[in-house]
Amino acid sequence: MQYRTIGKDLKVSAIGLGCMGMSHAYGAPADKKEMTKLLEQAIDLGYTFFDTAEVYGTPENPHDNEELVGNALKAHRKEIVLATKFGIHFDMSDGKVNHSLIPDSRPETIRESVENSLQRLQTDYIDLYYQHRLDPVVPIEEVAGVILELIKEGKILHWGLSEATEETIRKAHAVCPVTAIQNRYSMMYREYESLFDTLEELKIGFVAFSPMANGFLTGKYDKNSKFESGSDYRSVMPQFQAENIDKNQELLELLHKTAKEKNATSAQISMAWMMNKKEYIVPIPGTRKPERLIENAKAADIALTKEEVIALDQALDQMEMSEVFGGSQIKK
Ligand SMILES: NC(=O)c1ccc[n+]([C@@H]2O[C@H](COP(=O)([O-])OP(=O)(O)OC[C@H]3O[C@@H](n4cnc5c(N)ncnc54)[C@H](OP(=O)(O)O)[C@@H]3O)[C@@H](O)[C@H]2O)c1
C-alpha cells in the first residue's frame, strides 16, 4: 500500500476504503461477519483510511455502518484514520429508492451527532469529521465555529466538507482550517476539477467519492445486470440503465484498452487516472469483496505519465457518455 498526505499533515493510505455500500445504497446490507473479516483484511493490506457516515444504514437500522466499522476496527483504532460525517438525514416518507436528503447543521444537532458517532464508533475521537451537505439555513462560518470547539475539546482532530463549492470552502477555511473535501469525482463526473487551484492554494486534500462511478467504470456491468429495486440505488442511476449502456461503450473501451497496455484492470485505471493527476487526491472505493480490496489497493502502484493523463482527459472531453448519478435530491 502507498500512503499520501492530505491537508497539512494527515497521512492516509493512498486508497481509502469506502464502507457505505456494506450497509447502504447497494441492496440489503452485507453479512456482518463477512464484512468484519473484510475490514480486518483491509488492515492487513495496509488500508488506514476508512470512510463512513452517521446516515449509512437502513430504515430498520439507520446507523448500521458506523456500528459495523466501529466494532470491526476498534482493536486497530490508533493505527487508522477514521472519517465520518454529520449534517443530513433522509426523508423516509418520499417513497423514492434514493431518499431525499434533509440538511441539518444546527450547532445542537452537530453536538448530538458527534456524541452518537463517538459511541457507535467505540472511540473518543474522530480523525476526520465532514459536513455531509451544506445546510442552506446555517451559515458555514457558524458550523466551522462549532467544529473549532470540538477540536479544542479533542473530540475531532480534522474536519472536511462534502460536495463543497469554492465559496463554502473559503468561508469555512477562514474560521477553522479544512483538511479535506470529499466530493464526487470520476471519469464520468469531472466538475470539481475547477476546485484544484483553490485546494492547492489552501493545502486541502481531495477525497474522491464514487471514484468508479458507483462501480460502472470497472466494466463489470452490462444490460443484464440486475439490482434490487427497493434498496439498490443503482436501479435508478442513469449510467446503469440499459439504454445508456450503449452510449457508454466508448468510455468502457478506452478503460479496457488502457488497462491492457498497463497490465492492469479498468477499475485500477479509473483510479490511477485521478491519482496521477494530483498527489493530494485520494479515492475511497467501496467493495464487499476481498479480491477487489486487493485489486483496488494496487491502483496506487500504476504510474501514468503526465502526457498519458492529458491524453485520457482529452479523450474524455470529446467522448459521448450518458449522465452519471449526481446524488440524491436535497430538500430545502
Ligand atoms: N460524501 C458523500 O456524499 C458520498 C456519497 C457516496 C459515497 N461516498 C463514499 O464513497 C465510497 C465509495 O463510493 P461508492 O461505493 O458510491 O462508489 P464506487 O466506489 O465508485 O463503486 C462501488 C461499487 O463498485 C464495485 N466495485 C468495487 N471495486 C470493484 C472492482 N475492482 N471491480 C468491479 N467492481 C468493483 C462495488 O461492488 P462490490 O461490492 O460487489 O465489489 C460497488 O458496488 C462510499 O463507500 C462512501 O464511503 C460518499
Side-chain angles (χ1 to χ4, degrees), residues 51-56 83-88 101-107 109-110 113 126 128-147 150 156 158-165 167-169 171-173 178-183 209 330:
D51 189 75
T52 181
E54 68 173 339
V55 291
Y56 294 162
T84 191
K85 316 182 191 82
F86 66 92
I88 52 168
L101 310 176
I102 303 173
D104 181 358
S105 280
R106 287 172 294 169
T109 310
I110 301 177
S113 287
I126 291 164
L128 179 54
Y129 202 35
Y130 299 101
Q131 184 191 40
H132 212 149
R133 291 290 182 275
L134 185 71
D135 185 334
V137 179
V138 183
I140 193 65
E141 293 88 341
E142 195 176 338
V143 174
V146 178
I147 297 292
L150 291 170
I156 70 168
H158 300 264
W159 84 302
L161 306 161
S162 180
E163 292 293 68
T165 60
E167 192 189 347
T168 306
I169 295 168
K171 283 184 186 167
H173 191 77
V178 172
T179 293
I181 58 154
Q182 182 182 128
N183 282 13
F209 80 73
I330 298 171

Side-chain angles (χ1 to χ4, degrees), residues 225-288:
S225 301
K226 296 265 179 298
F227 305 109
E228 281 172 45
S229 56
S231 58
D232 196 327
Y233 287 16
R234 289 171 297 185
S235 61
V236 295
M237 287 182 184
Q239 68 269 37
F240 290 101
Q241 303 309 305
E243 66 273 19
N244 283 334
I245 301 271
D246 289 336
K247 252 195 191 172
N248 294 324
Q249 276 317 302
E250 201 185 337
L251 172 59
L252 295 182
E253 274 159 27
L254 174 72
L255 274 160
H256 183 68
K257 183 178 137 277
T258 314
K260 240 178 141 182
E261 283 164 13
K262 293 279 164 187
N263 199 18
T265 65
S266 295
Q268 289 168 339
I269 296 297
S270 71
M271 292 188 283
W273 161 78
M274 62 174 77
M275 299 181 77
N276 280 278
K277 263 186 196 210
K278 302 286 180 189
E279 73 288 353
Y280 56 83
I281 295 181
V282 175
I284 49 165
T287 185
R288 296 176 170 198

